[in-house]
Amino acid sequence: MPLDTTKNNQKIPVNPGEVLFIAGKPSMSLNILHEGSVRVETTLGEESLALYTLEGTNLTPGIFALLEGMPYPYTIRAKTSCVISTYVMNQPNAKKTLIQKVSVGVMAVRTMLKEIGELYKRILAIRGLSSKIQMTADNLGVVYYILNPSIFSDIQPGAPITRDDNIIDPVIRTIRNNLAGFYEHGGILPDEPSTSFLEESHGEFFEKDYPETVEWSDSSFHFIRKILAVNPKISQALFEADPTLLQSAAESYVSTYRELFDILNREAGELKDSLNFLFHGDQSLIEKFNLTLDLFSTGYSTISATTLLPITEWVSKKSQTHLEEFKQIFGSQYSGLTGGLDILEQKQSELNKKYAHELGAKKDQDAASASGITAGIDLASLKNELLNSASQILNFSQVDPESVKEFSTLMVKLKSFKNPLDPEPDNRKIRRTITKTYWEVYKKSFTKWLAAGKKAPKAVELMLRYGYFDESLLEDGHLVELVQRLDQGRYNGNVPVHLGTDWLERIYSKESPTSVDELGQTFFEKLKLDLKDSGIKSDKDIPPSYDTPDARLAYEISSMYEPNCRLTSGSVASHFPILTKYHITIPLEKCFVTKESVQKAMQDILNVDYTAFNREVIYRNEDIGIKNEFVQKSIIPDLVLVPSIGPKIMMWQDLSIFRGAGSKESKGRITIPHFVTGDLKTFLFEAIAAFRWELCKNILGPDWNNVGIPSITADYTDYVQFYKKSKDLSPELKEKISGEFKRFRTDRDKFANDYSLWIKYEAEGVQRLNRVVRAIFYRHIPFHKTIREKVSAQPAFLELHNRFKNVRNRQHKELENKYKKYMDASGALPKELQENLQFYEV
């Protein structure tokens, strides 16, 4: 029975476990806890779960509900023996009491402050667990398909996958839709599933980011918290002088608590859905793997024991980890288990015993597998050469001994973890500290390597090229693969692709200008800030002692190289610049990027989007009277292979010179991880889309979104802002667009997604964009002539093609007439003008 608050009660003793106030019942009293502790509970489905505990003296449990004038949103239960007083009160009287009795007001506000902090911590814990379970479920779904491809008989290798929201089974529906996103965003499925694939986040392919935090910022909350943190006598005097401060604080905290409680309910609901998806009922993902084990046991499956059993063992262990974390958060077991996990573990145990010989033999085979791919490399000799690689690299770099000591200690600790890339806060803290020293080692090693005529121990060369550091963090086969790839031979492509070391050498020798940093600042601008009192106004004013090769190199590594190694890894939470076996989710040879593979991917894209890198530049030729003629010119950006592994290619800058003559003709910069864990061409789509967007903004300046001056940025931004008013889109389509846009933070991200669909699907005649976007793209991002001729036969493209052809023919005719005065005696035009005429030919 809850406490009777219809009359004032003084210091009522309450036994442990006894309910004080019940969720849903009206709040009609101000309660003061004199001693002991109470627990605030809520419900998740049909079960009661502990949220947080209030312990101590002079606390006011339930004050939030009283001041809000609403029923209790939670149940309050005695955790230990308590003594509590209740005072009959309604909402208006409670608000007056806070002002008239400042000591009670301070007590109430301090209690809410404590509750808000505890509630937010619980929300973060729930969000963290929910994200982990969602990632596990998504990865397991893809693995289930790899093990059982017959569940989608219509899916063909390499072909687009259509989504199907009409599938009744929620698990199968989610798997198919995830597979569609996985393909669209450049994911490459492993031939055989592995535990490393399961451990790694593939959210960028599933269109999910698995956030571990919940964004919440309340400036008034933090302001009052600071006031309450000072000496109680001072804060008491302040509130007595102006009681309205207490009233404002209380009202603000009530609003904050309600906001957080609503977030809690939402997060708890999502957690329940994720748990049910994985564990609850006959259609759960766990039951799908039970079925897979049944098919294997009865001989109806062609999957090998050495492939399947490590996966199901991982499923069992990961499930127990999630369930244990649930218990730690809520203090009780998840009640939705329906026996499927127990059955899985029982079958796993039986099959492990039955196939112990095969599993053991596979481990032995894996241990010796490198010997079969050495292609003439003496593995024993190589391992001896790379023995104690970390020590070799640290000795070569000659960094500060104290830094080395801390670095080595942390590396030993990190290697003791089951997975060094785990996003847990303690792991991340260790990785951040290691990363800081790593880049100092990298910079010093590069300088010494360059000074020594590009000669160094093999371990150093592997670090500079690939981010290698410790041989024990990789498999033998990985070491062989890395060493075999060190010499890539001569490159003769027309796309400017640079190895990371070659790029840093260009910066060091001033062959290329330095890049911008993450804030868009140049080397000159940062130096100008550092020397703000020295009177530097232009690049030429920089003292030679500051503009040294070493200074430029240090700037490039810290401002461009290091950030891009982090960003191309895809996951900031698990980022680690040192290459490990835990990064490698698909075979290393499949994700290795060469200059030739970049050249081929870029050429494939340009065969579709031939104007990808075009811009208007000024052509002058005084000898034949040409003062200023705008011509189209394609300027392919520099592409830099950085020592990183991941699923992201970064468009770093659209120009390399930002002021003066030649700036608009300067190359942009795109960075590519040396190991791309997905489809290189698909990832380049996003980078090229970003390049197009930023270049257009840069060249047009303030008019980049002026619809009076048609451009890709202006027209697409106008579409994003006003698509809901478009007469060309149905209500159903507008609703769909609205849902899709929620996945993206910026208009550029929305554009990049549509650009990928334009190049990947629409160029093949598969309609994936709405008619408004298709019209914008056909005007500003035309397909190559051969593709235009192919798709123009379709009704969706016919009118667009005719309009495009008429505009281009008119432009071509105008230029042809204009250029006649520049022809020589033989009727020939300068190369630049002839190429510009050809650009406008349809």
Side-chain angles (χ1 to χ4, degrees), residues 477-765:
H478 300 151
L479 299 177
V480 173
E481 188 71 32
L482 294 179
V483 171
Q484 284 182 322
R485 303 275 189 170
L486 266 177
D487 184 11
Q488 293 192 21
R490 187 175 180 82
Y491 171 68
N492 298 312
N494 59 357
V495 174
V497 190
H498 312 274
L499 297 175
T501 48
D502 294 342
W503 179 256
L504 292 178
E505 186 180 358
R506 291 173 69 91
I507 297 298
Y508 186 85
S509 62
K510 298 188 180 181
E511 190 176 343
S512 293
T514 51
S515 306
V516 295
D517 64 8
E518 289 184 274
L519 299 176
Q521 292 180 309
T522 64
F523 173 71
F524 164 69
E525 288 168 342
K526 290 195 76 172
L527 198 58
K528 186 178 177 182
L529 284 175
D530 294 339
L531 305 172
K532 56 185 176 182
D533 297 326
S534 62
I536 294 177
K537 294 183 179 179
S538 70
D539 297 33
K540 296 177 182 178
D541 298 332
I542 300 175
S545 58
Y546 286 98
D547 188 12
T548 64
D550 284 333
R552 286 175 172 258
L553 175 66
Y555 168 84
E556 190 74 3
I557 288 177
S558 63
S559 298
M560 188 283 273
Y561 213 62
E562 180 183 348
N564 276 282
C565 286
R566 181 181 73 250
L567 294 169
T568 55
S569 71
S571 174
V572 176
S574 61
H575 169 65
F576 190 47
I578 294 173
L579 182 64
T580 75
K581 59 188 175 185
Y582 304 96
H583 288 99
I584 303 169
T585 57
I586 57 178
L588 208 54
E589 63 272 14
K590 285 191 174 183
C591 56
F592 191 88
V593 177
T594 63
K595 293 181 180 181
E596 288 75 17
S597 62
V598 175
Q599 158 85 19
K600 183 180 184 307
M602 289 286 285
Q603 197 56 59
D604 288 347
I605 294 172
L606 288 171
N607 287 340
V608 179
D609 180 11
Y610 69 103
T611 65
F613 303 111
N614 272 58
R615 66 199 73 174
E616 273 193 338
V617 299
I618 296 175
Y619 171 65
R620 296 184 178 92
N621 190 333
E622 299 284 351
D623 295 339
I624 58 174
I626 301 176
K627 293 184 177 180
N628 289 309
E629 284 291 347
F630 286 101
V631 297
Q632 287 285 335
K633 188 174 183 180
S634 177
I635 303 172
I636 300 176
D638 285 310
L639 295 107
V640 183
L641 299 176
V642 295
S644 172
I645 180 170
K648 188 78 173 175
I649 292 176
M650 294 300 300
M651 194 294 292
W652 192 245
Q653 54 194 82
D654 54 308
L655 301 172
S656 54
I657 301 173
F658 300 96
R659 291 181 297 275
S663 59
K664 293 295 185 287
E665 295 183 55
S666 64
K667 293 180 180 179
R669 282 165 196 182
I670 292 175
T671 58
I672 304 172
H674 225 315
F675 304 96
V676 172
T677 54
D679 181 57
L680 175 65
K681 193 193 305 184
T682 301
F683 295 157
L684 278 168
F685 292 158
E686 183 179 341
I688 293 172
F691 180 89
R692 269 186 165 280
W693 186 270
E694 294 302 325
L695 183 66
C696 188
K697 287 181 67 175
N698 209 326
I699 289 178
L700 291 178
D703 290 321
W704 72 272
N705 60 353
N706 181 358
V707 290
I709 304 175
S711 68
I712 186 63
T713 51
D715 290 353
Y716 193 84
T717 302
D718 185 65
Y719 155 70
V720 171
Q721 290 178 335
F722 301 111
Y723 72 90
K724 290 184 178 179
K725 299 180 181 179
S726 174
K727 296 179 181 177
D728 294 321
L729 301 173
S730 66
E732 294 78 17
L733 196 50
K734 292 175 183 177
E735 188 67 28
K736 181 182 177 184
I737 294 169
S738 181
E740 287 178 348
F741 278 177
K742 290 177 182 177
R743 296 193 287 112
F744 307 105
R745 292 187 300 110
T746 65
D747 288 351
R748 192 182 88 173
D749 292 337
K750 297 166 188 171
F751 167 74
N753 182 67
D754 282 343
Y755 176 85
S756 296
L757 298 176
W758 178 247
I759 303 298
K760 197 166 190 174
Y761 292 99
E762 297 271 336
E764 296 293 329

Side-chain angles (χ1 to χ4, degrees), residues 42 53 74 82 92 103 121 160 175 186 261 326 328 339 365-366 376 381 482 515 594 615 641 715 785 787 812-813 837:
T42 188
T53 297
Y74 41 58
C82 302
S103 60
K121 284 194 289 187
I175 291 173
F261 201 84
F326 180 93
Q328 290 176 0
Q365 181 185 347
D366 290 342
S381 176
L482 294 179
S515 306
T594 63
R615 66 199 73 174
L641 299 176
D715 290 353
K785 184 178 181 179
I787 298 175
H812 184 270
K813 189 68 177 176
L837 264 182

Side-chain angles (χ1 to χ4, degrees), residues 300-461:
Y300 286 100
S301 172
T302 58
I303 308 168
S304 68
T306 54
T307 297
L308 177 60
L309 296 183
I311 295 298
T312 49
E313 184 174 8
W314 185 94
V315 173
S316 175
K317 291 180 178 178
K318 182 63 73 172
S319 296
Q320 291 296 351
T321 300
H322 291 328
L323 293 171
E324 182 59 33
E325 187 170 347
F326 180 93
K327 184 178 178 181
Q328 290 176 0
I329 293 173
F330 294 110
S332 60
Q333 297 281 4
Y334 165 62
S335 63
L337 291 174
T338 51
L341 184 58
D342 291 336
I343 295 171
L344 180 79
E345 291 175 344
Q346 181 182 347
K347 291 176 181 177
Q348 180 72 35
S349 178
E350 293 171 356
L351 291 170
N352 275 346
K353 292 176 183 177
K354 182 177 179 180
Y355 293 94
H357 178 72
E358 287 90 335
L359 294 171
K362 181 65 164 59
K363 287 182 180 180
D364 294 338
Q365 181 185 347
D366 290 342
S369 62
S371 59
I373 59 169
T374 55
I377 290 181
D378 185 339
L379 180 60
S381 176
L382 175 62
K383 291 178 71 174
N384 185 61
E385 186 177 9
L386 295 178
L387 186 65
N388 297 323
S389 289
S391 297
Q392 291 187 51
I393 294 168
L394 291 170
N395 289 334
F396 181 84
S397 68
Q398 295 182 333
V399 293
D400 176 56
E402 285 300 316
S403 298
V404 170
K405 185 177 179 181
E406 181 188 21
F407 179 88
S408 301
T409 302
L410 291 175
M411 280 293 291
V412 170
K413 187 172 183 179
L414 190 76
K415 288 196 290 184
S416 69
F417 296 147
K418 184 177 179 181
N419 183 355
L421 306 184
D422 197 302
E424 291 295 330
D426 288 344
N427 291 20
R428 292 170 68 174
K429 185 177 180 180
I430 291 173
R431 288 199 301 270
R432 280 197 300 269
T433 306
I434 291 174
T435 297
K436 184 178 179 181
T437 304
Y438 168 81
W439 284 111
E440 183 64 26
V441 170
Y442 190 99
K443 182 182 71 174
K444 292 198 172 187
S445 296
F446 179 83
T447 306
K448 281 196 66 179
W449 172 76
L450 209 57
K454 302 183 183 178
K455 294 190 181 299
K458 190 150 288 178
V460 174
E461 292 184 6

Side-chain angles (χ1 to χ4, degrees), residues 75-187:
T75 292
I76 302 178
R77 185 188 304 272
K79 185 177 181 181
T80 63
S81 297
C82 302
V83 176
I84 191 166
S85 296
T86 64
Y87 300 89
V88 177
M89 204 170 290
N90 57 23
Q91 182 195 34
N93 289 336
K95 290 183 176 181
K96 289 179 182 177
T97 300
L98 297 191
I99 298 175
Q100 293 170 354
K101 295 184 178 181
V102 172
S103 60
V104 175
V106 171
M107 193 188 307
V109 172
R110 285 187 185 279
T111 301
M112 283 195 287
L113 173 65
K114 183 179 179 66
E115 291 192 84
I116 287 171
E118 293 295 326
L119 190 61
Y120 187 55
K121 284 194 289 187
R122 191 48 47 98
I123 289 171
L124 292 181
I126 294 172
R127 163 48 43 198
L129 176 58
S130 185
S131 292
K132 292 173 188 175
I133 294 174
Q134 287 173 19
M135 188 178 89
T136 295
D138 288 337
N139 288 355
L140 279 178
V142 170
V143 166
Y144 178 71
Y145 166 72
I146 298 172
L147 295 171
N148 304 277
S150 60
I151 61 171
F152 301 124
S153 57
D154 62 312
I155 293 180
Q156 301 298 321
I161 301 170
T162 57
R163 290 173 171 81
D164 188 351
D165 291 324
N166 296 318
I167 298 174
I168 297 175
D169 187 322
V171 171
I172 298 299
R173 181 173 64 246
T174 300
I175 291 173
R176 184 178 184 98
N177 292 344
N178 277 347
L179 284 170
F182 197 87
Y183 172 81
E184 281 181 13
H185 294 84

